[in-house]
Amino acid sequence: MGRGGQPKDRQDGPERKCIATGEVHPRHGLIRFVVAPDGQIAPDIAGKLPGRGIWVSSDRAALEKAVKKGLFARAARQAVVVPDDFVSLVEGQLVARIVNLISLARKGGGAVTGYEKVKDWLSREEATVLIQASDGSERGKSKLSTPQGGTFIGWLTAEELGRAFGRQTTVHAALGAGGLSQRVVDEAARLKGLRVSNGGQTRRKGS
């Protein structure tokens, strides 16, 4: 921590303290919340809403603790309203942001979908990120490997991934190098904390 208890800015970005765990992490590993004018706690997934930020680790247990223990009101120093299905709301907003980023990458020629196209990108070392739907066929998914030195994302559903490509569903996708790819990776890492248990199992929506 810096002087006056202010978080230090490290090489991997400014750090903030989680109200649930008390641990300090880079901002990209936490989720920012603000108190809306109506007193509701609002997720600020993009980190751009006005107001004093309240930070929670991007982890299902941390969010559930913050709600159960009334930590948002304590951090805000006022009475607040936490929306129903709060964790699901946060999860849904993260998914929407990731889908939008992948869609932007696709429009810019930086993303492809479909087994053969993804396989081609991997073979030509054009892919830096392999994305496979959590509910896709394990046999089909096992035929493609994460690019060397690249990233694997496997906790979006086929329907969610399909939305990014204007399809009903899709199982395989790949991203090339570029700023959008890194943003997808960062946001997907936050979503992973809400969806993937310590045992590596992806939680189904609503579970």
Side-chain angles (χ1 to χ4, degrees):
M1 299 292 284
R3 292 182 180 178
Q6 294 301 310
K8 290 183 178 180
D9 287 358
R10 302 288 182 85
Q11 287 185 345
D12 52 0
E15 295 186 330
R16 296 295 183 266
K17 185 176 181 179
C18 170
I19 64 169
T21 66
E23 297 176 349
V24 176
H25 298 286
R27 287 197 309 184
H28 61 73
L30 299 100
I31 299 172
R32 183 178 187 264
F33 298 87
V34 297
V35 181
D38 61 0
Q40 284 206 83
I41 291 294
D44 181 21
I45 302 302
K48 296 181 179 179
L49 292 178
R52 178 176 176 271
I54 299 171
W55 300 83
V56 183
S57 296
S58 188
D59 174 82
R60 180 172 291 270
L63 284 170
E64 290 174 345
K65 179 181 178 180
V67 174
K68 184 178 180 180
K69 300 290 187 180
L71 301 182
F72 285 108
R74 186 183 303 175
R77 299 177 183 175
Q78 68 178 76
V80 300
V81 177
V82 179
D84 294 334
D85 298 323
F86 183 68
V87 178
S88 295
L89 172 67
V90 176
E91 182 180 345
Q93 290 193 16
L94 274 171
V95 169
R97 182 164 173 79
I98 295 166
V99 167
N100 182 58
L101 288 170
I102 296 173
S103 179
L104 289 173
R106 171 183 63 84
K107 292 173 183 177
V112 294
T113 188
Y115 178 85
E116 292 299 334
K117 288 183 179 179
V118 172
K119 181 180 178 181
D120 180 58
W121 270 36
L122 289 169
S123 67
R124 291 191 282 118
E125 299 184 350
E126 288 190 22
T128 60
V129 181
L130 173 63
I131 309 173
Q132 293 184 310
S134 58
D135 50 351
S137 164
E138 292 301 325
R139 182 178 179 182
K141 290 192 294 184
S142 66
K143 296 179 181 179
L144 299 176
S145 300
T146 305
Q148 186 173 3
T151 303
F152 174 74
I153 298 171
W155 40 94
L156 291 167
T157 67
E159 184 274 330
E160 291 165 348
L161 191 53
R163 269 190 267 152
F165 292 92
R167 298 186 175 190
Q168 187 172 1
T169 61
T170 193
V171 174
H172 311 283
L175 303 178
L180 279 175
S181 294
Q182 187 56 52
R183 288 169 65 188
V184 171
V185 170
D186 289 343
E187 297 298 343
R190 295 204 291 176
L191 180 64
K192 184 178 182 180
L194 302 185
R195 286 200 165 172
V196 181
S197 65
N198 291 335
Q201 295 296 313
T202 303
R203 297 181 179 90
R204 298 297 184 187
K205 293 180 68 176
S207 63

